[in-house]
Amino acid sequence: MSEIQIVKVDQGGVNARILAKEAKADFRRVEAASLKIPTRFTSAEGKRFFARLFNTLQLNTHFISVIARTRLDHEDVAKIEDIIRAQMDAVTASLNQAIDGAEALFKAHGITSTATYDTVPLDVDVHVLSSIGRRFLEVLGKLDQLMPLLQTLEIHEVITTQAVDIQRASLKRQVRDVANGARNFAMGLRRRMNAMDARDGGATREAVVEPEGVNGESATGEPDIAIDQSDLDADPVSPEASAPTRAGVDE
């Protein structure tokens, strides 16, 4: 007897819409080897944050670690890398704590199965350029892992909808802040490099960015200054949206 389907389910259209709405990051001029990591996202949050944040973070951190290091003091660049890693460590700790807490509630309330998504998973071979990129991909994976756990607890009325919303919003903000922070620092370094060129004889902005073809998201901040919270709270800038500050970049 054939299976009777009483509801219409996703056949991949959701993933297509998510990917179509996001600007495509241009890696054609990034001459770096990448590790290809098969990755699966199932939650709406995991899919959208991967599409919105991952590649732009990679391009900004590539600029910080590779391009800026050729022109600026290595210690200044290392400071920024340490700040980004520390921020990811803090987010990872928060996500691990939330996952452990959710699993403890599962056990305490005798919950044995987790809510699953009827939408098709997003399966991608992710091109990871650096240790920072690899660690951020792990952060996104933990966020994706947590989302159905929270949904399950809400369905069973172990935690309220309001509590789920608060926790979800807080963790999403922390993940987004990592990408925004990298964007801010990348532009801070780019501005310093442009200022150096101006002092050395009026070199153009293109001369700073063009050789490596690295994406330039709009950002603020200097390597020895803490990230401004108002900048971190802003939505991440996609490659196309950052047109005013991406001179010399093929988009």
Side-chain angles (χ1 to χ4, degrees):
M1 183 176 180
S2 62
E3 182 180 352
I4 299 175
Q5 187 173 338
I6 61 174
V7 296
K8 291 184 178 180
V9 296
D10 172 58
Q11 300 295 326
V14 171
N15 293 341
R17 288 195 297 272
I18 290 173
L19 296 176
K21 288 178 63 177
E22 301 305 328
K24 302 301 183 292
D26 191 345
F27 281 78
R28 289 175 296 178
R29 297 177 62 85
V30 176
E31 299 179 7
S34 62
L35 185 65
K36 283 67 177 178
I37 301 179
T39 306
R40 166 173 286 201
F41 295 100
T42 60
S43 71
E45 293 81 3
K47 293 175 182 179
R48 284 173 171 80
F49 268 46
F50 170 75
R52 292 183 64 196
L53 303 179
F54 182 74
N55 282 329
T56 50
L57 174 130
Q58 286 219 110
L59 290 171
N60 282 320
T61 55
H62 180 79
F63 181 88
I64 292 167
S65 297
V66 178
I67 310 306
R69 193 171 252 115
T70 66
R71 301 284 304 282
L72 301 175
D73 189 274
H74 286 214
E75 291 184 0
D76 287 344
V77 176
K79 280 182 185 178
I80 291 175
E81 292 171 329
D82 288 344
I83 291 172
I84 295 172
R85 288 191 176 96
Q87 197 173 12
M88 283 196 290
D89 286 343
V91 178
T92 297
S94 295
L95 288 166
N96 284 338
Q97 182 179 10
I99 291 170
D100 290 343
E103 291 175 344
L105 289 174
F106 269 57
K107 184 176 181 180
H109 292 269
I111 301 172
T112 58
S113 61
T114 304
T116 59
Y117 297 92
D118 294 325
T119 52
V120 175
L122 178 62
D123 290 303
V124 286
D125 283 334
V126 182
H127 294 214
V128 177
L129 294 173
S130 66
S131 61
I132 292 178
R134 176 186 56 78
R135 291 173 67 173
F136 191 61
L137 183 62
E138 292 173 356
V139 166
L140 294 175
K142 289 181 182 293
L143 179 71
D144 188 65
Q145 177 186 352
L146 176 62
M147 292 301 103
L149 300 181
L150 296 179
Q151 190 74 47
T152 303
L153 293 172
E154 192 276 331
I155 291 171
H156 283 283
E157 296 185 282
V158 174
I159 53 180
T160 65
T161 301
Q162 182 180 11
V164 170
D165 288 343
I166 292 172
Q167 186 172 18
R168 183 188 292 118
S170 174
L171 292 168
K172 287 169 63 178
R173 170 60 59 82
Q174 292 177 55
V175 174
R176 188 168 61 242
D177 284 353
V178 174
N180 284 346
R183 177 198 68 188
N184 295 343
F185 279 131
M187 182 47 94
L189 294 180
R190 187 177 291 108
R191 287 176 175 171
R192 289 185 59 185
M193 293 164 70
N194 288 334
M196 289 171 57
D197 283 338
R199 289 195 300 268
D200 292 342
T204 64
R205 180 185 296 261
E206 283 77 5
V208 173
V209 184
E210 179 67 24
E212 298 291 337
V214 178
N215 171 288
E217 308 331 307
S218 62
T220 59
E222 296 294 336
D224 57 344
I225 300 176
I227 303 171
D228 184 77
Q229 189 61 44
S230 63
D231 289 329
L232 291 182
D233 290 344
D235 282 340
V237 178
S238 64
E240 274 71 14
S242 61
T245 61
R246 71 175 198 273
V249 182
D250 293 334
E251 292 294 350

